[in-house]
Amino acid sequence: MRYNIIREMDIANGPGVRVSIFLQGCEFNCPKCFNPETHDFNGGKEFTKETVDTVMKLCDDENIKGLSILGGEPLHPRNIDATEMLSKAFKEKFGNKKDIWVWTGYKFENIQNKEKIKNVDILVDGQYMDELHNPKLNWRGSSNQRILDVKESLKQGKPIEKKELYETINMWQVKLFIKIFRKISIKS
């Protein structure tokens, strides 16, 4: 198992300020994917217990609303154990105080071992399709992708879309990022 990068503060991949980890390796290779550097299964860094510990420590920040797991492909057989380890450790530590979002090219109906995603709150499913690209969509690139409530989908045995609209960013998040950006700019 490998990962490409951990983002300590991310506002693009899910609601609020989040920690994001991009797992390494994807066989879909969607044309115009926004992160093709994550496709090679041999790239990135080794995923270890220390990786999980680092992510949990970063998520401990009170400003962090949740964890986002992207790729590559988090539900590929070579990555799904990392996704399960992260989501299990996260739920053990934070319960329902913070949420977990996972992006996958698989459709919910085609996920082989759904037990492995039982700790995930939201699943954004479906491959990116450039011909269906819509920049007005929140947290997905193309209109074929769905934002699913995992708990309800598992319970009902079918995909259940999350209908509530989430805020994209609020003023305290803007102020926090300005503060962080100023610190980074001064160091550069």
Side-chain angles (χ1 to χ4, degrees):
M1 296 181 298
R2 303 186 68 76
Y3 72 97
N4 183 274
I5 192 170
I6 298 170
R7 291 188 183 155
E8 295 181 30
M9 292 192 166
D10 186 349
I11 60 168
N13 296 301
V17 181
R18 311 178 69 76
V19 172
S20 293
I21 182 168
F22 290 75
L23 298 181
Q24 187 71 39
C26 181
E27 292 180 337
F28 292 124
N29 296 308
C30 301
K32 297 192 180 177
C33 172
F34 85 106
N35 50 354
E37 66 279 2
T38 64
H39 292 184
D40 181 1
F41 282 96
N42 297 313
K45 304 166 195 85
E46 184 179 0
F47 183 95
T48 64
K49 168 83 169 80
E50 289 73 32
T51 309
V52 175
D53 294 341
T54 297
V55 170
M56 292 309 109
K57 185 176 179 185
L58 292 169
C59 289
D60 214 14
D61 184 315
E62 66 183 25
N63 295 309
I64 299 299
K65 182 170 172 34
L67 172 63
S68 294
I69 305 172
L70 307 96
E73 177 48 63
L75 300 187
H76 185 278
R78 291 170 75 175
N79 290 331
I80 196 164
D81 289 339
T83 299
E84 183 182 33
M85 287 170 60
L86 283 164
S87 60
K88 183 177 183 215
F90 186 89
K91 282 301 177 184
E92 286 174 357
K93 184 166 185 155
F94 301 107
N96 291 322
K97 294 178 186 168
K98 299 182 182 205
D99 61 10
I100 303 172
W101 284 49
V102 171
W103 280 255
T104 181
Y106 296 105
K107 294 298 245 178
F108 178 83
E109 299 87 339
N110 298 327
I111 296 169
Q112 296 298 313
N113 192 348
K114 291 181 177 71
E115 178 68 17
K116 299 242 181 202
I117 62 168
K118 69 180 179 186
N119 291 307
V120 173
D121 296 297
I122 300 294
L123 184 73
V124 180
D125 80 338
Q127 294 179 36
Y128 171 74
M129 299 177 75
D130 195 52
E131 63 274 14
L132 298 176
H133 176 74
N134 183 344
K136 295 180 181 179
L137 296 172
N138 282 334
W139 306 297
R140 53 204 165 124
S142 56
S143 60
N144 64 300
Q145 296 171 310
R146 304 175 294 188
I147 299 174
L148 303 178
D149 180 324
V150 174
K151 306 285 187 276
E152 202 54 39
S153 297
L154 291 173
K155 184 177 167 184
Q156 294 191 32
K158 63 181 182 179
I160 303 297
E161 291 192 56
K162 191 75 172 174
K163 296 296 183 187
E164 298 146 22
L165 297 176
Y166 293 92
E167 88 288 352
T168 53
I169 191 165
N170 61 35
M171 281 314 290
W172 73 266
Q173 292 166 328
V174 171
K175 290 175 185 175
L176 175 65
F177 275 97
I178 290 170
K179 183 178 174 182
I180 292 167
F181 180 73
R182 285 184 181 150
K183 285 182 184 178
I184 293 170
S185 296
I186 291 169
K187 290 179 184 177
S188 298

